Amino acid sequence: MSALYQLFRIIWLWSGIKPEVVVGLLWMLFLLYWIVSALNRKKTKQRESILHRLSYILPLLAAFYLLYNDRETLGWLGAYFVPHTALVQWLGVVVTATGLAIACWARLHLGANWSGVVTLKEGHELIRTGPYQNIRHPIYTGILVGFLGNAITLGQVRGLIGLAVIWASFYVKARREESFLMQEFGPKFKEHTQHTGMFLPKFS
């Protein structure tokens, strides 16, 4: 950890780049990959309703407001839950990079079955390779870890609250996805749930 910190510190001092800027760049690269990979998708066979979609999108908007609101008058929301030091901030950068790498790895395995909303695709496959061997929703796992890194880099209580809201939103969406998958794959998916965790790995 000490050697890694010294490396980040040298880069930081040499370039003058702040940790929060690096986190922003990581998310931009992540979104670029997501947009490009979204070009390869199967046709949709069944899609959730708009009302169902809003049930997890609206909380996400509230979470983003908490994470990216730069007002100085935040009261207890602006209190620091970790030391506001370069070491902690760069640790947040490492956590964010790790989380986004996990999400991209999972997205690669999901392939053309991916969708940004809850759907079933024509010829939908139940993916059980890569991170899907132990986690049912590893993309959400990776994004949550990424936002944990955000919260650490920010260092303020509002980051933790935003992370909790994002987790709740993903949980709602994941449960709806699982109802679609159960409908499509039945006993095969039920067996899959017995050997995997929703967001955390389950080794069996």
Side-chain angles (χ1 to χ4, degrees):
M1 178 61 71
S2 178
L4 185 61
Y5 167 63
Q6 291 300 329
L7 174 61
F8 276 121
R9 183 175 175 80
I10 290 170
I11 295 172
W12 177 45
L13 293 174
W14 177 75
S15 64
I17 298 177
K18 295 181 179 180
E20 55 267 29
V21 173
V22 178
V23 167
L25 290 173
L26 287 171
W27 280 107
M28 288 178 64
L29 289 172
F30 174 75
L31 289 174
L32 179 62
Y33 169 73
W34 228 245
I35 291 169
V36 172
S37 61
L39 298 176
N40 178 33
R41 287 183 293 175
K42 295 178 179 178
K43 291 183 178 180
T44 299
K45 180 171 69 173
Q46 182 180 347
R47 185 189 305 270
E48 65 179 344
S49 69
I50 293 177
L51 286 178
H52 281 153
R53 202 175 310 163
L54 288 176
S55 68
Y56 58 82
I57 289 178
L58 292 179
L60 282 178
L61 294 177
F64 293 156
Y65 177 78
L66 283 170
L67 282 165
Y68 300 110
N69 176 14
D70 292 329
R71 292 186 308 165
E72 294 182 3
T73 309
L74 293 167
W76 63 272
L77 290 173
Y80 287 94
F81 68 92
V82 291
H84 192 53
T85 65
L87 172 59
V88 172
Q89 287 184 304
W90 282 112
L91 175 62
V93 173
V94 173
V95 173
T96 295
T98 301
L100 297 186
I102 292 171
C104 290
W105 178 36
R107 175 68 184 84
L108 186 63
H109 278 269
L110 197 58
N113 297 286
W114 176 86
S115 175
V117 297
V118 180
T119 61
L120 281 175
K121 299 293 187 179
E122 294 181 2
H124 203 106
E125 300 169 279
L126 181 60
I127 305 301
R128 304 184 69 170
T129 59
Y132 289 91
Q133 295 180 63
N134 306 110
I135 306 174
R136 295 195 296 280
H137 304 277
I139 289 178
Y140 296 157
T141 301
I143 294 175
L144 285 168
V145 172
F147 277 117
L148 173 61
N150 262 69
I152 293 172
T153 301
L154 177 64
Q156 297 177 352
V157 171
R158 62 191 171 104
L160 290 179
I161 296 176
L163 177 63
V165 173
I166 293 170
W167 177 90
S169 176
F170 282 179
Y171 179 80
V172 169
K173 187 180 180 185
R175 288 297 298 269
R176 191 164 297 125
E177 287 178 353
E178 292 191 355
S179 70
F180 274 43
L181 291 170
M182 183 65 75
Q183 169 189 320
E184 182 75 3
F185 298 106
K188 187 177 179 181
F189 180 72
K190 185 175 182 180
E191 187 271 334
H192 180 54
T193 65
Q194 295 172 351
H195 300 284
T196 55
M198 178 176 279
F199 297 142
L200 295 177
K202 181 179 180 181
F203 300 100
S204 57

